[in-house]
Amino acid sequence: MQFYAYERQLPRARPSTSGRPSPGASATQAMNKILIRPAWTFSSESGETVDPQLFRLLRAVHEAGKLTVAAGQARLSYRHAWDLLAKWGRFFGTPLVKMARGRGAQLTLLGEKLLWAEQRSGASLFPQLENIASELNLEISRAQKESQSVLRIHASYGYAVEKLPTLMRQHGHANVDLQYMASVAALASLCRSECELAGFHVPLGDLGITLWEHYEKWLKPRYQRIIRLVIRTQGLIVPKGNPRRVASLQDLRQPGIRFVNRQLGSGTRILLDGLLKRNAIDTRNILGYDSGEFTHAAVAAFVASGMADVGFGIEPAARQFKLDFVPMVQERYMLACHKDSLRLAPIGELSALLQRPEFLALIASVPGYSPDNPGQVVSLKEVFPWAA
């Protein structure tokens, strides 16, 4: 089996019949954007490639339990869905879906493994592929010598910061170059002037003071400002029904409990380590502590596939995979910038957009997220009174 990535472009915005740009249209909307998404190819003598529709269909069967309903959800005819499953069942030599009269359709063990493998790989590769696509789009923009401004954001991944390019594309004028990295790396990038905004997160309350040492090297109260964004909740991600009854960090030490962790240097790993230290829990007693996934979704995918019993992350990742969530701590996700950068038009525009109903609508349906006076510019002292 081989694995590769493919590229596709978003269609150009449809021109208005009047010959003038439609209301709210911008140069960004008119420019093709490169997206990179993972796809699968299975090696045989003929080198067959998996139709991406197969995974959409497997996901729909898993959720709906009926092939007729699943075909509709995957936007396929019933005949095409049946032929697709039959083709790949022949390829593997065993069915991917089992049909039973009166009981609908269920994924076979192989069907489940294929689906979870696809979801895990997509979740794990998402930040890297988004970063590559962002760099390509930025180079294309430069090559075309567009007059449009570019706003560079380096940020820890989150379901709110993810929406900023869409917000600007739909309602603003700048071209957002968003690249994902760990919180500390994003702040270091800001200090090196490699970006205009750095997205990072710090827990509320006393734990934020305890973990301040990880960030203070890069946060300069005299020279930097904070643009507020959201409050979000982190906690334990467990299977539906929580069969192992994991309710606290102490439960991670139970024999046989398999844990999946985030990568070293990530804000979530720093947060978890702070919580474990506060609770006097020796990480050597946690099976799987030394693992390191690069996204919250990848952690959730590991739990959903049965490869782990519990992970630590944000609530939307758990809900994405229909898992349960045990809330543990709230944290503030925010954007840092140099105070002189506030004079830049794209930053002023983004701050204004964050205060509009359009942004509030984007995050309203995200579980575990709440607005934190988004778009408001404050000093570091107002957010971190203990900052030197």
Side-chain angles (χ1 to χ4, degrees):
M1 184 178 70
Q2 296 176 324
F3 188 72
Y4 71 99
Y6 70 91
E7 301 179 353
R8 67 182 177 89
Q9 291 183 322
L10 290 175
R12 291 180 180 271
R14 184 177 299 174
S16 66
T17 55
S18 66
R20 297 187 299 272
S22 58
S26 68
T28 312
Q29 289 173 298
M31 188 184 77
N32 280 334
K33 290 287 186 181
I34 290 177
L35 300 178
I36 304 177
R37 295 292 180 261
W40 293 81
T41 179
F42 294 99
S43 296
S44 64
E45 291 183 0
S46 58
E48 296 187 73
T49 301
V50 176
D51 186 334
Q53 293 176 326
L54 173 64
F55 290 112
R56 289 205 303 270
L57 181 58
L58 292 177
R59 189 177 303 111
V61 170
H62 175 72
E63 295 175 355
K66 292 187 66 175
L67 186 56
T68 51
V69 177
Q73 290 181 353
R75 300 187 298 278
L76 301 172
S77 69
Y78 181 83
R79 177 176 292 277
H80 184 47
W82 181 268
D83 290 344
L84 195 62
L85 293 173
K87 172 187 175 181
W88 289 103
R90 289 192 300 271
F91 178 90
F92 289 109
T94 184
L96 303 182
V97 172
K98 53 186 176 184
M99 310 283 288
R101 184 180 299 275
R103 292 190 296 174
Q106 289 182 305
L107 297 183
T108 62
L109 180 60
L110 176 60
E112 290 181 350
K113 294 300 182 183
L114 283 176
L115 177 58
W116 292 127
E118 186 265 347
Q119 291 184 321
R120 283 199 306 273
S121 62
S124 298
L125 290 170
F126 175 79
Q128 294 93 324
L129 298 184
E130 288 291 289
N131 289 352
I132 295 171
S134 182
E135 291 174 2
L136 287 172
N137 285 314
L138 185 59
E139 290 305 315
I140 291 171
S141 174
R142 288 170 177 163
Q144 293 175 337
K145 297 181 179 179
E146 293 184 336
S147 59
Q148 188 179 12
S149 300
V150 175
L151 178 60
R152 299 171 300 171
I153 304 176
H154 292 179
S156 172
Y157 179 74
Y159 287 73
V161 73
E162 176 191 56
K163 301 182 185 302
L164 299 188
T166 299
L167 183 70
M168 185 66 80
R169 186 165 58 248
Q170 294 179 346
H171 306 287
H173 301 86
N175 185 19
V176 174
D177 171 36
L178 173 60
Q179 296 194 31
Y180 295 118
M181 57 190 68
S183 287
V184 172
L187 291 170
S189 185
L190 176 67
C191 289
R192 293 191 298 265
S193 299
E194 295 174 357
C195 63
E196 285 74 49
L197 294 172
F200 69 110
H201 50 99
V202 177
L204 302 179
D206 293 342
L207 188 57
I209 303 175
T210 302
L211 301 182
W212 180 249
E213 61 179 322
H214 295 278
Y215 304 98
E216 63 179 341
K217 177 181 178 180
W218 310 108
L219 289 172
K220 312 297 181 183
R222 289 182 58 189
Y223 305 108
Q224 295 171 344
R225 296 294 181 265
I226 295 294
I227 300 176
R228 300 174 74 153
L229 199 61
V230 295
I231 300 292
R232 68 182 191 180
T233 303
Q234 294 231 45
L236 299 174
I237 298 173
V238 297
K240 193 71 175 177
N242 195 3
R244 301 299 296 268
R245 299 293 183 263
V246 177
S248 70
L249 293 175
Q250 300 288 349
D251 293 332
L252 300 182
R253 301 184 297 184
Q254 291 183 21
I257 295 288
R258 298 165 301 163
F259 180 69
V260 56
N261 209 347
R262 288 291 306 280
Q263 84 277 19
L264 281 169
S266 68
T268 296
R269 180 74 168 252
I270 291 172
L271 171 61
L272 175 64
D273 286 347
L275 289 170
L276 293 174
K277 185 176 181 180
R278 169 177 284 188
N279 287 274
I281 297 175
D282 189 338
T283 59
R284 292 174 295 183
N285 296 326
I286 300 176
L287 180 63
Y289 172 83
D290 292 329
S291 59
E293 291 299 310
F294 283 87
T295 67
H296 296 279
V299 167
F302 256 75
V303 176
S305 65
M307 296 179 66
D309 301 299
V310 58
F312 189 83
I314 53 179
E315 186 173 354
R319 304 309 178 195
Q320 178 183 343
F321 288 89
K322 296 180 169 51
L323 303 170
D324 284 352
F325 181 76
V326 181
M328 301 290 296
V329 63
Q330 285 192 310
E331 61 181 4
R332 175 173 281 118
Y333 190 108
M334 66 211 98
L335 302 169
C337 69
H338 195 282
K339 65 177 183 179
D340 292 340
S341 297
L342 293 171
R343 296 196 294 264
L344 298 175
I347 291 185
E349 184 174 45
L350 179 63
S351 296
L353 288 174
L354 291 174
Q355 299 176 53
R356 288 174 48 173
E358 289 85 352
F359 177 71
L360 297 178
L362 285 174
I363 64 169
S365 61
V366 181
Y369 274 61
S370 60
D372 182 34
N373 293 312
Q376 183 184 50
V377 179
V378 297
S379 68
L380 266 74
K381 286 283 189 179
E382 292 178 78
V383 181
F384 309 112
W386 56 85

